[in-house]
Amino acid sequence: MDELMPLTPVDESWQTALCVVAHPDDLEFGAAAAVARWTAQGKRVVYCMVTSGEAGIDGMHPDQCRTVREAEQIESGRIVGVDEVIFLGEPDGIVEATVALRSRIARVVREVRPDIVITNNFRETWGGRNLNQADHIAVGAASVDAVRDAGNRWIFSDQLVDGLEPWGGVREVWAAGSPQATYAVDTTDTFDAGVASLEAHRAYIDGLGWEDWDAEEFLAGGARQAGSRLGVRYATAFEVFPMGWGE
């Protein structure tokens, strides 16, 4: 895709979004500033982490790492106005896009009843030769399928007890950071909140050995590029998948 191609503003006429990603920190590497924009508008945003990122720090045992990373994610969400964070507890690093995972995500969709579902880029690469991580690909693919599953009464029908009903109200699934993104949202005013949200993952960043790494500088690179294509200073780009027929 021509990187100079203009981006179209996303449709923000929604009230509830569910963000489904593989790990704590996935949303903070680009999308958290957009979340801060939406919560400031009074929208409800719910986070769902498929894993707890327990395999993400080489020098920390997964049992300890799980607790640390969940706490960092809760704080990171708080910074951008999110106070609902769900952890599914799937094993970090070996997530597969199975029917069982679709079922777990579909249940969350039915419980939250979002208008929009947001996930991470689940293309094979980030637009160059750098391969995407396997969990990202699996969770994104499973999320798209689970959204459609959630609206079908006869799929995972065992969930429909105690008042839980099918939910077919998801308009679109948005994949943040996709190399095939054609939409974006202006994050100029909330960029700093996005940086602070990423910096809240201190143990993870330190565990990677990124001693001189600058979160603001890192995020500004992608946000500035997306912003130039949207006609603003900073933006977050999304690939948009309509959930209707014939679109």
Side-chain angles (χ1 to χ4, degrees):
M1 179 183 296
D2 184 353
E3 65 179 15
L4 299 178
M5 183 176 178
L7 295 168
T8 301
V10 295
D11 181 357
E12 295 182 280
S13 64
W14 52 270
Q15 187 55 38
T16 300
L18 171 65
C19 301
V20 184
V21 294
H23 317 105
D25 80 73
D26 283 354
L27 289 165
E28 286 68 49
F29 276 97
V35 172
R37 170 189 172 96
W38 295 322
T39 58
Q41 293 172 348
K43 302 182 191 296
R44 177 191 180 203
V45 180
V46 179
Y47 282 1
C48 177
M49 307 289 128
V50 170
T51 82
S52 295
E54 69 275 7
I57 301 176
D58 184 70
M60 187 179 295
H61 190 278
D63 290 344
Q64 179 187 4
C65 187
R66 179 181 295 106
T67 301
V68 169
R69 299 206 65 197
E70 286 184 359
E72 288 188 337
Q73 183 59 68
I74 290 168
E75 172 60 14
S76 183
R78 185 198 63 78
I79 290 169
V80 293
V82 174
D83 58 11
E84 298 175 81
V85 184
I86 300 164
F87 297 95
L88 295 185
E90 293 291 323
D92 184 18
I94 53 173
V95 178
E96 295 181 292
T98 61
V99 171
L101 179 58
R102 283 167 48 187
S103 175
R104 298 200 69 188
I105 297 172
R107 175 183 284 277
V108 177
V109 172
R110 288 168 168 172
E111 291 171 343
V112 175
R113 301 172 73 83
D115 308 302
I116 300 294
V117 168
I118 297 166
T119 189
N120 243 359
N121 170 37
F122 55 99
R123 299 293 183 179
E124 290 185 354
T125 74
W126 294 96
R129 294 187 298 171
N130 291 330
L131 292 173
N132 199 352
Q133 199 266 350
D135 287 356
H136 300 160
I137 296 170
V139 169
S143 296
V144 171
D145 289 337
V147 164
R148 291 177 291 193
D149 296 335
N152 189 324
R153 180 175 300 279
W154 309 116
I155 298 179
F156 310 133
S157 56
D158 60 304
Q159 298 176 358
L160 304 180
V161 296
D162 299 327
L164 191 64
E165 292 290 335
W167 178 249
V170 178
R171 304 177 198 169
E172 298 172 332
V173 175
W174 298 353
S178 169
Q180 298 189 34
T182 55
Y183 290 80
V185 64
D186 183 357
T187 55
T188 303
D189 293 340
T190 53
F191 175 77
D192 289 345
V195 173
S197 187
L198 176 55
E199 289 176 338
H201 292 276
R202 192 72 260 162
Y204 177 64
I205 294 169
D206 289 348
L208 294 174
W210 296 352
E211 294 180 5
D212 299 321
W213 185 76
D214 187 314
E216 181 176 3
E217 180 180 358
F218 175 85
L219 291 176
R224 191 177 294 115
Q225 182 182 63
S228 70
R229 297 172 60 193
L230 189 64
V232 298
R233 184 181 181 189
Y234 292 132
T236 297
F238 297 93
E239 183 174 4
V240 172
F241 299 90
M243 290 294 103
W245 290 98
E247 296 183 60

